[in-house]
Amino acid sequence: MTYTWNNKTVDTYPDLDGNADVIFNVHWRLTGEDENGNVGSVYGTQSLDTSDLSSFTAFADITEEMINEWVEAAMGEEEVQAKKANIDAQIEEKINPTVVTKQIGA
């Protein structure tokens, strides 16, 4: 299973403590794909702690990899694993559905 983060959309404070474009909220999507091309995903937002800006990185220098790390750290390992388990369950449901919707007379 391969998991991929998309964290390209963020909310910023235009100015916070003399720093420009401080990211405080990330709009994320985590997508998983199995070896057969079955896909599942979850999405949401994650607040980031802006109380200590001593290691502030300018917005222009931020990479998607950095955002991924920040989001995972803010969520915590247990929550990240729960989201991956949700994706795994979605894919399992596609492969072995527990409910099938059918039409009468079709």
Side-chain angles (χ1 to χ4, degrees):
M1 182 76 68
T2 302
Y3 300 98
T4 306
W5 287 100
N6 177 333
N7 295 322
K8 294 179 181 175
T9 303
V10 297
D11 298 321
T12 67
Y13 295 121
D15 181 85
L16 182 64
D17 299 333
N19 297 295
D21 298 323
V22 177
I23 297 170
F24 69 91
N25 192 50
V26 178
H27 300 259
W28 57 266
R29 177 177 296 276
L30 180 59
T31 302
E33 183 174 357
D34 72 5
E35 62 279 352
N36 297 317
N38 295 301
V39 176
S41 68
V42 292
Y43 63 93
T45 59
Q46 179 62 52
S47 297
L48 301 178
D49 182 7
T50 59
S51 62
D52 179 7
L53 298 177
S54 60
S55 61
F56 179 74
T57 303
F59 190 85
D61 297 331
I62 293 173
T63 64
E64 193 171 355
E65 181 178 284
M66 292 167 74
I67 299 272
N68 294 350
E69 291 172 8
W70 297 345
V71 166
E72 286 192 20
M75 282 183 182
E77 183 62 27
E78 189 174 314
E79 185 64 25
V80 171
Q81 291 307 315
K83 292 185 183 333
K84 289 179 179 179
N86 180 307
I87 292 168
D88 294 347
Q90 289 176 36
I91 292 172
E92 179 60 29
E93 180 66 22
K94 287 179 182 180
I95 296 168
N96 299 301
T98 56
V99 175
V100 177
T101 303
K102 297 186 174 199
Q103 253 182 333
I104 304 298

